[in-house]
Amino acid sequence: MSAHSSISAAAQSPLPPPTTGGAIHAVPIGITPQPPLHCPVAIVGAGPAGLMAAEVLSAAGLKVHLFDAMPTVGRKLLLAGIGGLNLTHAEPLPAFKARYGARAADCGRWLDAFGPQALRDWAAGLGIDTFVGSSQRVFPRDMKAAPLLRAWLQRLRHPASGVPVRFHMRQRWSGHLQPLAPAAPQQTPSTPPTTPTTPQSAHAAPPGYCLHLQGPQGQTEVHARAVLLALGGASWPRLGSDGAWMPWLAQHGVALQPLRPSNCGFDVAVGTRLGWSAHLQQRFAGAALKGVLLRFTDANGQAFERRGECVLTQTGLEGSLIYAASAQLRDAIEAAGRVRIALDLKPDWSRSRLQAELERARSGQSLGTLLRKRLGLPPAQVALLHEVLSPAQRHDPTQVAATLQNLPLDLVAPRPIAEAISSAGGVALEGLNDALMLQPLPGVFCAGEMLDWEAPTGGYLLTACMASGRVAGLGLAAWLRAQPPNSASAPSAV
């Protein structure tokens, strides 16, 4: 979700423009150029959204060719499963839908087609049992992503019904996406030659699209009747989602919003100093702050308050509590340059109890020892208190008690998008129809994280990615059924 205006290709990326139909493509020496691959459906992107779309289309009886730049499929899904694959969340569906913020209505329609319970049923169909954890998060019984992915790929390659999906790995889309020209009508001696007529509307459906993909054996040219893009956002680019597609789609008139970090950490400022002291960086970077309460006011003047856990980093804060507020924090920083947050380190204690403990005689104990022994404050939280209080303030029980429950920090920047768990921005939903087809490019559909929505961690990201893949797959199948027979002169699809 983003409130920014649509962007141009030049403003989004320094990457060169995609190749055009008249470009000359180098072929490695010793490799014979291959004829175009013709297929009904080409999917670019083998993450959860692309795989779900492929499953839907296979079940609809369509031959699907799936392309991805990485050596294997589902790389980000496997990464997410390292600490336990959080498939979805067990909270009631209305609350679940509300997690998508300003895009709740749009994402809610996807979830009506494939919601959290449907996802659990789907996993059970693969032989993967799930359970609900203490936080209401849903996990596979063995917590792992690999068994689920293996079972999924087996079903895609060898479906009980439907058409096997063809996978093409190490094939990176170059950005080339050109409508195929309609085949010229056949002439007979008794038929006068046809004369040019008014060109098709810019949004009329072509007979298909030509894509160029680069791989170890050179360029592959694909002619597909319909295309589904599931290219991801720009988080974790080493796993394949680098946002390179933004300027390429912009050249086709696709409405885009800037890609921005979501579910990310933030850099802090303490007073006039940017970042933590050297002592905190060296001793406590990586330490968890458990059971703390986060408060701040967002860019719209709305108060945010939530309890949870966050982590001290070399440059600031991250962790589930920060991720839950990352969209509001990011937007507040964009609006004002920084946002003031407050951490309550002792949310279960009354102010009077805190002050009474702090006013008791120290018996020669340092403040740090007193805080650890009497208040049970972990060393990392003691260090955090020292970051914001002067030596004189540390001897004032009233000041210390107030700061323990209202510790002020300024967040000044989100961490780079490459470090984020997910990204916001991408293809504007206003430029898609309800089936997730691009309005400027009839027959081209989009799904997954490349769309302009965001959600917190907790299973919401994966559920909506898969739901959007299902919606786009169903929409593509329906769109193909509604098209007239392809008149383009092309070999049979393989």
Side-chain angles (χ1 to χ4, degrees), residues 16 104 134 137 146 403 423 481:
S134 58
R137 298 185 180 201
T403 305
S423 57
R481 287 195 297 269

PDB file of all heavy atoms in Angstrom, residues 16 104 134 137 146 403 423 481:
ATOM      1  N   PRO A  16      19.039  -0.564 -17.666  1.00  0.00           N
ATOM      2  CA  PRO A  16      18.766  -0.214 -19.058  1.00  0.00           C
ATOM      3  C   PRO A  16      17.371  -0.652 -19.451  1.00  0.00           C
ATOM      4  O   PRO A  16      16.801  -1.556 -18.848  1.00  0.00           O
ATOM      5  CB  PRO A  16      19.835  -1.012 -19.829  1.00  0.00           C
ATOM      6  CG  PRO A  16      20.169  -2.146 -18.925  1.00  0.00           C
ATOM      7  CD  PRO A  16      20.049  -1.619 -17.536  1.00  0.00           C
ATOM      8  N   ALA A 104      -7.324  -3.717   2.783  1.00  0.00           N
ATOM      9  CA  ALA A 104      -8.112  -4.801   3.375  1.00  0.00           C
ATOM     10  C   ALA A 104      -9.243  -5.247   2.459  1.00  0.00           C
ATOM     11  O   ALA A 104      -9.528  -6.449   2.355  1.00  0.00           O
ATOM     12  CB  ALA A 104      -8.664  -4.367   4.733  1.00  0.00           C
ATOM     13  N   SER A 134       0.726 -21.220  20.181  1.00  0.00           N
ATOM     14  CA  SER A 134       0.197 -20.426  21.288  1.00  0.00           C
ATOM     15  C   SER A 134      -0.139 -18.998  20.867  1.00  0.00           C
ATOM     16  O   SER A 134      -0.999 -18.353  21.471  1.00  0.00           O
ATOM     17  CB  SER A 134       1.209 -20.394  22.443  1.00  0.00           C
ATOM     18  OG  SER A 134       2.450 -19.861  21.990  1.00  0.00           O
ATOM     19  N   ARG A 137      -0.585 -18.582  15.485  1.00  0.00           N
ATOM     20  CA  ARG A 137       0.047 -18.789  14.187  1.00  0.00           C
ATOM     21  C   ARG A 137      -0.048 -20.267  13.825  1.00  0.00           C
ATOM     22  O   ARG A 137       0.018 -21.135  14.691  1.00  0.00           O
ATOM     23  CB  ARG A 137       1.506 -18.335  14.205  1.00  0.00           C
ATOM     24  CG  ARG A 137       1.672 -16.845  14.484  1.00  0.00           C
ATOM     25  CD  ARG A 137       3.115 -16.417  14.377  1.00  0.00           C
ATOM     26  NE  ARG A 137       3.267 -14.988  14.634  1.00  0.00           N
ATOM     27  CZ  ARG A 137       4.305 -14.261  14.238  1.00  0.00           C
ATOM     28  NH1 ARG A 137       5.301 -14.853  13.571  1.00  0.00           N
ATOM     29  NH2 ARG A 137       4.369 -12.978  14.500  1.00  0.00           N
ATOM     30  N   ALA A 146      10.474 -27.558   3.531  1.00  0.00           N
ATOM     31  CA  ALA A 146      10.919 -28.435   2.450  1.00  0.00           C
ATOM     32  C   ALA A 146       9.940 -29.578   2.145  1.00  0.00           C
ATOM     33  O   ALA A 146       9.664 -29.843   0.972  1.00  0.00           O
ATOM     34  CB  ALA A 146      12.316 -28.977   2.757  1.00  0.00           C
ATOM     35  N   THR A 403      11.252   7.253  32.995  1.00  0.00           N
ATOM     36  CA  THR A 403      11.909   6.822  31.758  1.00  0.00           C
ATOM     37  C   THR A 403      11.735   5.329  31.524  1.00  0.00           C
ATOM     38  O   THR A 403      11.612   4.877  30.383  1.00  0.00           O
ATOM     39  CB  THR A 403      13.403   7.189  31.800  1.00  0.00           C
ATOM     40  OG1 THR A 403      13.538   8.591  32.062  1.00  0.00           O
ATOM     41  CG2 THR A 403      14.084   6.859  30.480  1.00  0.00           C
ATOM     42  N   SER A 423       8.146  -6.191   0.907  1.00  0.00           N
ATOM     43  CA  SER A 423       8.155  -4.824   0.373  1.00  0.00           C
ATOM     44  C   SER A 423       6.734  -4.362   0.111  1.00  0.00           C
ATOM     45  O   SER A 423       5.831  -5.163  -0.134  1.00  0.00           O
ATOM     46  CB  SER A 423       8.993  -4.736  -0.908  1.00  0.00           C
ATOM     47  OG  SER A 423       8.520  -5.636  -1.900  1.00  0.00           O
ATOM     48  N   ARG A 481     -10.852 -18.823 -21.886  1.00  0.00           N
ATOM     49  CA  ARG A 481     -12.075 -19.468 -22.366  1.00  0.00           C
ATOM     50  C   ARG A 481     -12.966 -18.480 -23.123  1.00  0.00           C
ATOM     51  O   ARG A 481     -13.703 -18.874 -24.036  1.00  0.00           O
ATOM     52  CB  ARG A 481     -12.861 -20.062 -21.194  1.00  0.00           C
ATOM     53  CG  ARG A 481     -12.241 -21.318 -20.600  1.00  0.00           C
ATOM     54  CD  ARG A 481     -13.224 -22.048 -19.701  1.00  0.00           C
ATOM     55  NE  ARG A 481     -13.624 -21.236 -18.548  1.00  0.00           N
ATOM     56  CZ  ARG A 481     -13.003 -21.248 -17.379  1.00  0.00           C
ATOM     57  NH1 ARG A 481     -11.949 -22.026 -17.195  1.00  0.00           N
ATOM     58  NH2 ARG A 481     -13.437 -20.504 -16.389  1.00  0.00           N
TER      59      ARG A 481
END
